[in-house]
Amino acid sequence: MDIGALTDATLRDLRRPRDYPAVSLLLPTTRRSPYSAEDPVRLRNTVAEAKRRLAEDPKVTRAARMDVEKRLDAAAAEVDLTHSSDGLLILAAPGEHQVWYLPRSVPQRVVVSDTFLTRNLVAARLLGEPYWALVLSESGSRLWDGAGDSLEAVTGNGFPVMPELPDHQDALPGRNFDKVGNHSMTERAEAHVERERQYLRKVAGALMPVLERGRRPLYVVGLREQIALFEKVFPARDAIAARVESGGAVGKSAHELLGLLHPAFEERRSSRQGEVLRRLDDARGARRFTSGLDEIWQTVRQGRVALLAVEDHYQVTARVDGNGGHPVKVESPTEPLAADPDIREDVVDELVETAFKNGADIEFVPDDTLAGEDRVAAVLRY
């Protein structure tokens, strides 16, 4: 499934405890190279690693192992490696399996637990936030419904918006007439601008109810003059996340339009990261800042975290006692992880899940961004 299908209800269901073993497989895939020879080999090797882990796990019964192995094989068969993306997540437990395509790079990992690994889904959903893309054109303006790399044209709610046809005289080639009843070039230019303004008011009028029903970032695509005029008649300028200057975009396919939008996406993500770092700095001055896994573990469980910032690939295997005490890192386990019930293979995933459940903002930042904070930092509510 694409990340656009991930709803809050689906995410809650994926986070609930499963019958042991719940297996999560992560592997990177090659975007825009659907025939990469590495992807199928990596998929086979990751599935084989998961089966080996199950066979060596003393907690896994023979019936459960056979069931989950069958689920892994079924999931692997469903994977469409021509569905190019940056990452793949396979989830399998007794009686169920799912395949998720992720718009972000992930490490190659196998996690066996009693819950699924969901932090990558949370991160991918943040990366693939829903948005609107408005393409302005004199020949007709279109609205697109987007989420990450998924983009569909909106038909209905007044879209596409078509312009009114000009009067016959205004459509004549531009010449300066001085006869009575004919427009001068200046008058005709003014009439053209007024027609354009009325047309863009019509576009804005169709767009406003859509935004009110589903407020999202708005990307406006068109010629510089069109965008500037649209902004003058649009009552919700603060909804505009970016302006993409391009002519002829109205006739482009979804794939071609995404190519125009990607630089704006990257700029927004960079701005978002800067905002996260600013919030962390402000929290330091207000004495509402904490960092490091050990410090944040308890504050997250107490519901005190307002913002949790985690490096993309930060993962810690740790021993946590049954009372949820401070995690103690396990650097190099000498026996299968399942042999010790207090060992959590990825306590960072549990940290993210708990923060999400308690209503905190979750932000993932590039590796080494929080090197001085032990890879994880938080803004506290109090």
Side-chain angles (χ1 to χ4, degrees), residues 12 48 55 71 81 92 103 112 132 134 137 145 160 175 180 182 226 228 231 243 246 320 324 330 337:
R12 283 194 299 269
R71 299 289 173 178
L81 288 175
V112 182
W132 301 110
L134 176 67
S137 170
D145 183 349
R175 296 184 304 169
V180 176
N182 287 327
Q226 288 174 326
E231 287 187 306
R243 298 146 184 85
S246 176
V320 181
V330 179
L337 295 176

Side-chain angles (χ1 to χ4, degrees), residues 109 129 175 183 185 191-192 233 237 285 297 319 333 349 380:
R109 293 182 59 197
E129 66 175 344
R175 296 184 304 169
H183 295 297
M185 290 181 65
H192 174 78
V233 301
R237 289 183 58 181
W297 182 261
R319 180 177 286 103
D349 186 67
L380 303 180

Side-chain angles (χ1 to χ4, degrees), residues 184-255:
S184 69
M185 290 181 65
T186 300
E187 291 172 332
R188 292 181 60 188
E190 291 175 349
H192 174 78
V193 171
E194 181 57 29
R195 277 201 314 273
E196 185 78 0
R197 185 180 288 108
Q198 292 295 334
Y199 164 53
L200 292 177
R201 284 198 184 101
K202 184 179 177 182
V203 175
L207 180 60
M208 284 303 298
V210 176
L211 292 182
E212 289 167 0
R213 288 193 298 270
R215 191 77 170 185
R216 308 175 183 177
L218 173 66
Y219 296 83
V220 181
V221 184
L223 296 174
R224 178 182 299 180
E225 296 80 6
Q226 288 174 326
I227 296 175
L229 191 55
F230 175 75
E231 287 187 306
K232 290 181 180 179
V233 301
F234 185 48
R237 289 183 58 181
D238 60 331
I240 300 177
R243 298 146 184 85
V244 180
E245 296 178 9
S246 176
V250 73
K252 293 186 180 298
S253 66
H255 177 74

